[in-house]
Amino acid sequence: MAWGVPPRPPSSKVQALYELCKRTFPSPSAAGAGASPSPPLADAVRSISSLMDTITPADVGLRDDNVEDDRGHGFFESNFLKSSARVARWAQPITYLHIYECDAFSIGIFCLPTSAVIPLHDHPGMTVLSKILYGSMHVKSYDWIEPTVLASSQPARLAKLHMDDVRTAPCPTSVLYPQSGGNLHCFTSVSSCAVLDVLAPPYCEDAGRICTYFHDYPFSSLSAAAGLAKVPGNPDNYAWLEAINSPVNIYMRTGMYTGPPVQT
C-alpha cells in the first residue's frame, strides 16, 4: 500500500465482520497450551455487535422471497419440495451455512424451519454473538450459579434463568460470555428464521470446548445436596440442569453459503 493512501474499505459487510473479528479475537494458541483466551473487551464486542445489527439477509446471500414459506427465505427450496406435497415441518432439517472458521473464531448461519428446535446446550469458555436475520424464535437461556450448587438426588446443577422470550427480527444482536449473558441456551423457531452466529473461540474437543446438551428441571422438583432451602427472588427463575450423556439427535444438514466470500 502506498504511503499516505487510506486502506481500501471492506468489499462487503461479511468481509467487514471477518476483519473486525480478526482484530478482536486472538488465537487460543497465543494464550499458551491449556490456557483459555481471555474474554474480549466490552468495547470490541460492542463494535462487532453494532456491525451485525446492520447485516440483512441479502448481505449474506439469503433471498427475500418466500419469507412466509416454512421452507425459509427461499433456502429450503429444492426440486424434491417443488415436485411433492408440502413436507411436514418436523421432516425439514436445520441447515448450517459455513462462512469462515479458524482457531480463534467462526462465522456461520443456522437456518431453521418453523417449529425446529436446537436443544439446550452450553458454550464452554466461549463468547457468542447471535443476530436473527429474519423470522421469530423462542430463546430460553441460563447461566450457572456460582459457587456451584448440586442437587442431592441426581447429577444436576443449579442455574439461573437469563432469558425466556420470543425474539423477532429486526432485533439487536445478543451476546453471551463464558459466565454470563445466557451461556446455556436453546432455540425453538416460531416461524422460519435464520441466525448469524460468531463463536469465539469455536468448539474444539482437543481444547476442552465440547458442546454438552442438558435437560432442565424446575427448581421445586429437586433439592440441593448442601441443604439450600430457597433462592433469592422468584424460584421460577431457577432450574436444575442435568447433562444428557446419550447422543442427541438433531436433524441438521450442511448447506452451501452463497453470500459474499471472505478474503483472508
Side-chain angles (χ1 to χ4, degrees):
M1 182 177 70
W3 182 259
V5 177
R8 181 177 300 174
S11 56
S12 68
K13 289 185 179 179
V14 171
Q15 184 67 28
L17 178 60
Y18 159 77
E19 293 177 5
L20 193 51
C21 288
K22 195 76 171 177
R23 294 195 298 269
T24 302
F25 303 120
S27 169
S29 59
S36 298
S38 300
L41 296 176
D43 286 347
V45 171
R46 277 194 291 268
S47 295
I48 297 174
S49 178
S50 295
L51 173 58
M52 292 178 68
D53 284 344
T54 70
I55 294 177
T56 68
D59 291 326
V60 292
L62 296 178
R63 297 207 309 269
D64 286 333
D65 58 338
N66 297 332
V67 173
E68 300 301 327
D69 194 312
D70 287 336
R71 288 170 291 188
H73 235 58
F75 185 81
F76 293 101
E77 193 172 351
S78 68
N79 290 331
F80 169 74
L81 289 177
K82 287 178 181 177
S83 60
S84 66
R86 193 176 192 80
V87 174
R89 287 172 178 172
W90 57 264
Q92 299 179 44
I94 297 169
T95 302
Y96 179 71
L97 309 179
H98 170 80
I99 297 177
Y100 176 83
E101 182 170 345
C102 62
D103 64 347
F105 64 93
S106 66
I107 305 173
I109 302 169
F110 288 93
C111 300
L112 291 76
T114 302
S115 302
V117 177
I118 299 180
L120 184 64
H121 61 283
D122 65 350
H123 306 82
M126 299 158 64
T127 298
V128 179
L129 296 94
S130 300
K131 159 69 174 177
I132 300 178
L133 295 168
Y134 66 82
S136 298
M137 66 164 45
H138 179 262
V139 180
K140 191 173 188 180
S141 62
Y142 298 93
D143 288 307
W144 293 120
I145 292 294
E146 297 290 353
T148 299
V149 177
L150 300 176
S152 60
S153 57
Q154 61 192 81
R157 181 178 172 185
L158 189 62
K160 185 174 183 181
L161 184 68
H162 174 77
M163 176 182 290
D164 187 5
D165 201 4
V166 173
R167 307 198 75 206
T168 300
C171 58
T173 299
S174 62
V175 185
L176 64 83
Y177 295 95
Q179 296 179 323
S180 63
N183 185 273
L184 304 98
H185 65 201
C186 60
F187 296 153
T188 303
S189 55
V190 177
S191 65
S192 62
C193 58
V195 183
L196 173 65
D197 264 359
V198 172
L199 279 64
Y203 290 108
C204 177
E205 186 171 353
D206 291 342
R209 294 188 301 276
I210 302 171
C211 182
T212 302
Y213 292 90
F214 295 86
H215 285 303
D216 55 345
Y217 302 97
F219 174 74
S220 59
S221 65
L222 300 172
S223 59
L228 179 69
K230 59 182 180 179
V231 289
N234 187 348
D236 292 341
N237 290 332
Y238 296 82
W240 298 100
L241 307 188
E242 181 178 7
I244 300 173
N245 295 319
S246 57
V248 175
N249 293 320
I250 303 175
Y251 188 19
M252 188 176 295
R253 69 181 179 186
T254 301
M256 181 176 292
Y257 169 68
T258 59
V262 167
Q263 305 293 332
T264 60

